[in-house]
């Protein structure tokens, strides 16, 4: 099995290859002066099983184009199998037409991937796993929630409570709470489709003096987390940690979250940044080993 770390997942790809004891084929990449994308696969792939690892965080469209260019190139080099690992899958929140005339963005990306000859697709905590059911190829979504639970189990949290900021993330909070052997609850969140404004319904909690861990799949602008932190702090929570698999942290998200009262933000290396303290490399490697 040959691992190809894509431009967005260079370190993660190297870690996966080391865990599997697999060779790496490098990719060189750059942007032309006018912004167009250049990629080159620097190795022999004929009759080999190939794993391309390419996350699609911001700038999503550039990283998707790199992925499409790489997949087409890899296919033409005659491998026996192509597994595509997309640790953070962009556009997974655009899986339905909320208003007439909107693009079905995720569906379009699905069609391109299928047409580029991918045999298997692996994702991590994709926003709505049901979107994978529409693929005609084999797909699998893994979760980093146990890793998040394990990370926080060394923190000696005081009477921890795990919170999902909305009902869609309740199963994520449940998984983390199983590792921490703690309780879990969820809030009810509503988002205005036009303004993006979030409203969170008040929920009375038993949080006085307790340490809180709020978990989600994505932190984007930080609005969801900030609202959830405020709700727990207003009711007397002690320390509040926030964790997500994919910490996009757009614009002032970090400041927004910390000034709402968070003690720390933790993410994984599906998006490599200053808060990505947890690696999903073993999760991916263990799956690929099977
Ligand atoms: C949406 O339901 C997701 O699970 C996240 O809660 C959301 O993407 C977070 O976005 P933001 O950080 O912009 O509030």
């Amino acid at each position: 099995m040959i691992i190809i770390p894509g431009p967005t997942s260079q370190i993660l790809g190297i870690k996966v290859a080391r865990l599997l004891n697999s060779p790496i084929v490098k990719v060189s990449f750059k942007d032309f002066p006018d912004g167009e994308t250049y990629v080159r696969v620097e190795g022999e792939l004929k009759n080999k099983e190939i794993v391309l690892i390419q996350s699609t965080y911001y700038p999503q469209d550039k990283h998707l184009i790199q992925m499409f260019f790489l997949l087409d190139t890899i296919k033409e080099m005659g491998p026996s199998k192509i597994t595509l690992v997309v640790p953070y899958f962009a556009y997974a929140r655009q899986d339905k037409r909320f208003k007439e005339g909107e693009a079905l963005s995720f569906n379009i990306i699905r069609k391109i991937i299928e047409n580029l000859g991918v045999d298997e697709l692996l994702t991590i905590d994709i926003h709505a796993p049901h979107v994978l059911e529409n693929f005609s190829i084999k797909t699998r979504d893994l979760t980093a929630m146990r890793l998040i639970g394990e990370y926080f189990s060394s923190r000696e949290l005081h009477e921890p409570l795990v919170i999902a900021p909305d009902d869609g993330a309740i199963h994520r909070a449940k998984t983390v709470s199983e590792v921490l052997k703690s309780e879990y609850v969820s809030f009810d969140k509503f988002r205005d489709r036009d303004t993006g404004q979030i409203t969170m319904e008040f929920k009375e909690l038993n949080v006085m003096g307790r340490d809180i861990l709020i978990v989600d799949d994505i932190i984007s602008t930080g609005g969801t987390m900030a609202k959830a932190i405020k709700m727990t702090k207003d009711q007397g929570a002690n320390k509040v940690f926030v964790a997500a698999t994919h910490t996009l942290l757009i614009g002032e998200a970090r400041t927004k979250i910390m000034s709402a009262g968070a003690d720390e933000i933790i993410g994984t290396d599906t998006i490599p940044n200053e808060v990505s303290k947890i690696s999903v490399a073993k999760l991916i490697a263990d799956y690929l080993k099977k």
Side-chain angles (χ1 to χ4, degrees):
M1 184 186 287
I2 290 178
I3 306 295
I4 304 187
T8 55
S9 300
Q10 297 268 288
I11 306 294
L12 177 59
I14 292 169
K15 285 184 180 171
V16 172
R18 280 198 191 138
L19 287 167
L20 291 169
N21 217 3
S22 292
I24 283 176
V25 162
K26 279 196 199 155
V27 160
S28 52
F29 55 94
K30 64 177 180 184
D31 289 344
F32 289 109
D34 59 0
E36 288 182 356
T37 299
Y38 171 94
V39 291
R40 177 168 175 256
V41 179
E42 298 182 352
E44 182 53 51
L45 310 183
K46 190 123 193 99
N47 297 328
K48 299 280 189 338
E49 271 191 35
I50 305 302
V51 178
L52 171 66
I53 307 180
Q54 169 81 347
S55 217
T56 54
Y57 51 83
Y58 180 85
Q60 294 87 334
D61 298 353
K62 166 64 72 181
H63 294 154
L64 281 166
I65 284 288
Q66 287 173 338
M67 185 169 92
F68 299 151
F69 286 10
L70 283 168
L71 285 173
D72 191 61
T73 311
I74 291 167
K75 185 71 182 171
E76 291 197 354
M77 294 169 88
S80 58
K81 180 180 178 191
I82 303 175
T83 300
L84 172 64
V85 182
V86 189
Y88 170 67
F89 207 134
Y91 289 104
R93 289 171 290 177
Q94 296 298 124
D95 62 321
K96 53 179 169 251
R97 199 163 270 142
F98 298 98
K99 288 182 182 166
E100 209 175 321
E102 284 179 345
L104 281 177
S105 318
F106 187 83
N107 205 33
I108 298 164
I109 296 165
R110 173 185 64 76
K111 286 186 213 166
I112 299 172
I113 289 175
E114 284 173 347
N115 277 304
L116 288 173
V118 174
D119 297 287
E120 187 173 353
L121 170 68
L122 185 62
T123 60
I124 299 174
D125 285 321
I126 194 164
H127 178 65
H130 68 85
V131 298
L132 296 176
E133 288 164 14
N134 297 327
F135 276 87
S136 58
I137 55 171
K138 184 177 175 194
T139 59
R140 179 70 191 263
D141 183 53
L142 303 175
T143 181
M145 289 297 139
R146 295 200 77 77
L147 298 177
I148 290 176
E150 283 158 17
Y151 181 88
F152 280 97
S153 53
S154 61
R155 290 297 182 91
E156 295 183 1
L157 303 182
H158 177 66
E159 291 180 39
L161 175 67
V162 182
I163 297 179
D166 60 37
D167 202 45
I170 187 83
H171 63 289
R172 306 191 198 279
K174 182 172 184 283
T175 308
V176 176
S177 74
E178 281 163 6
V179 181
L180 292 177
K181 298 183 177 49
S182 68
E183 296 174 294
Y184 68 97
V185 290
S186 75
F187 291 151
D188 287 321
K189 180 185 92 176
F190 308 95
R191 191 187 288 272
D192 185 307
R193 290 263 156 232
D194 293 317
T195 63
Q197 272 302 95
I198 295 160
T199 325
M200 208 167 264
E201 214 165 73
F202 176 79
K203 187 165 199 165
E204 203 166 315
L205 299 164
N206 169 21
V207 290
M208 186 59 78
R210 293 173 74 176
D211 290 338
I212 307 301
L213 173 57
I214 310 175
V215 294
D216 209 347
D217 56 336
I218 302 169
I219 301 177
S220 182
T221 64
T224 301
M225 282 298 188
K227 282 253 183 330
I229 295 161
K230 192 171 178 316
M231 181 106 75
T232 58
K233 278 289 185 186
D234 285 351
Q235 295 184 60
N238 182 35
K239 288 188 175 162
V240 180
F241 300 95
V242 302
T245 309
H246 315 295
T247 48
L248 288 163
L249 298 176
I250 302 302
E252 297 301 304
R254 271 190 95 175
T255 313
K256 205 186 283 179
I257 291 170
M258 296 309 283
S259 52
D263 288 80
E264 199 174 344
I265 308 168
I266 296 291
T268 80
D269 55 358
T270 62
I271 301 178
N273 59 25
E274 59 285 3
V275 305
S276 55
K277 304 273 165 57
I278 300 171
S279 181
V280 294
K282 191 165 180 310
L283 195 65
I284 297 171
D286 285 348
Y287 177 80
L288 293 172
K289 242 184 250 172
K290 284 179 198 156

